[in-house]
Amino acid sequence: MRQFYEFLQRANDGPYMEEQDWDLGVVAGKTAQLVRKHKLAWDPERLLTTDGGLADAVFKAGLELAKASGVYHRE
């Protein structure tokens, strides 16, 4: 429950940031770092992959992204 109250406090007291700045500065920048860190690559010739290692790496990178960037609150 403490985390929920912390979220509410940050929503009220945190710095204002335009949504586009959030998308391009926070999310896109961190995503690019994680793609390099986890050595993620996509083959445009294959719609689906059967590579379990790639799926695990994408999941781990996504979890890191969520932890690092948090969420954007519009209201």
Side-chain angles (χ1 to χ4, degrees):
M1 194 66 158
R2 183 174 153 255
Q3 292 174 338
F4 179 71
Y5 289 122
E6 183 179 341
F7 169 78
L8 291 176
Q9 182 179 9
R10 287 182 181 196
N12 286 327
D13 302 335
Y16 178 78
M17 180 181 281
E18 291 287 338
E19 188 171 359
Q20 184 175 0
D21 295 337
W22 167 263
D23 290 341
L24 296 176
V26 176
V27 176
K30 187 64 177 176
T31 299
Q33 290 175 356
L34 292 171
V35 166
R36 288 189 298 275
K37 176 182 176 184
H38 291 277
K39 298 180 177 121
L40 301 177
W42 175 65
D43 180 3
E45 297 297 319
R46 298 185 71 191
L47 182 60
L48 298 173
T49 183
T50 57
D51 181 358
L54 177 59
D56 288 342
V58 168
F59 180 82
K60 287 177 185 177
L63 187 58
E64 273 188 63
L65 177 63
K67 287 180 179 180
S69 63
V71 296
Y72 182 83
H73 181 56
R74 288 183 177 186
E75 299 290 324

